[in-house]
Amino acid sequence: MPEMLRLHHFEPRSRANGPGLRSVLWLQGCTLHCPGCFNPHTHPRDGGSLHSIDDLLGLILAQTGQVEGITISGGEPLQQAGPLAALLMAVKKASSLSILLFTGYTWKETSHIPEAETILKNTDVILTGRYQARHRVASSLLGSSNKTIHFLTDRYTQADLDLVPEAEVLIQSDGNIRFSGIEPLQW
């Protein structure tokens, strides 16, 4: 059976989830349950839908030429570390797309995940640490001031992250409205 990732949502094009125009994959499942998390609907491990690495790679590569990279968020992406590592390797092998990864794990916790070496080798920027509502900043892609940014390649700088809009409104092809970003809008 092929490796599978549990996906909450795929957004083909977004400006509020990393530098430039990006595709975004929100993975499903998180046991961290950070108080104040604005993505609690991504927490149930049985939510979302299962997708093969090949199918997700196809979705991502279909955006080549339109986006400069992908962003992986969640849920908690590192709770699906094996299939995530396989996807990131496949993206890097098949394209020049950049990869930005959000995780609620600290840098130290991340380094103890068996697949960490592969994940980090195929990632340009990783933002680590649990969201802490009492330290909320919602700028430069940081939800709270305790989170840390690690530039793993020279593709981006802090100045690039500072230019990312805090939020966006996306009108889906079916007419539904989706709010996205580090400071998602509320009605």
Side-chain angles (χ1 to χ4, degrees), residues 141-153:
L141 295 178
L142 292 176
S144 56
S145 62
N146 62 294
K147 294 175 104 17
T148 57
I149 302 170
H150 305 271
F151 296 94
L152 305 176
T153 68

Side-chain angles (χ1 to χ4, degrees), residues 88-95 97-99 122-124 155:
L88 299 184
M89 283 189 328
V91 169
K92 283 296 187 178
K93 183 177 180 181
S95 74
L97 295 171
S98 65
I99 297 175
N122 290 287
T123 300
D124 295 289
R155 187 144 181 185

Side-chain angles (χ1 to χ4, degrees), residues 15-16 164-169 179-185:
R15 292 201 180 278
V164 175
E166 293 172 358
E168 67 186 344
V169 177
F179 304 106
S180 186
I182 201 69
E183 174 65 14
L185 303 171

Side-chain angles (χ1 to χ4, degrees), residues 10-33:
F10 174 75
E11 185 61 48
R13 290 177 290 286
S14 168
R15 292 201 180 278
N17 289 281
L21 192 59
R22 313 182 69 75
S23 292
V24 185
L25 288 90
W26 283 274
L27 300 186
Q28 183 73 37
C30 180
T31 60
L32 300 179
H33 302 294

Side-chain angles (χ1 to χ4, degrees), residues 78 81-82 85 109-119:
L78 297 183
E109 290 170 326
T110 299
S111 68
H112 290 102
I113 293 170
E115 297 84 355
E117 183 177 342
T118 301
I119 290 169

Side-chain angles (χ1 to χ4, degrees), residues 114-175:
E115 297 84 355
E117 183 177 342
T118 301
I119 290 169
L120 297 175
K121 184 173 81 171
N122 290 287
T123 300
D124 295 289
V125 180
I126 185 171
L127 293 93
T128 64
R130 286 165 185 73
Y131 175 70
Q132 294 180 0
R134 70 183 179 278
H135 296 293
R136 184 178 179 282
V137 292
S139 68
S140 300
L141 295 178
L142 292 176
S144 56
S145 62
N146 62 294
K147 294 175 104 17
T148 57
I149 302 170
H150 305 271
F151 296 94
L152 305 176
T153 68
D154 61 0
R155 187 144 181 185
Y156 296 112
T157 66
Q158 183 62 51
D160 296 314
L161 301 189
D162 291 342
L163 294 174
V164 175
E166 293 172 358
E168 67 186 344
V169 177
L170 301 165
I171 301 172
Q172 308 292 291
S173 60
D174 62 5

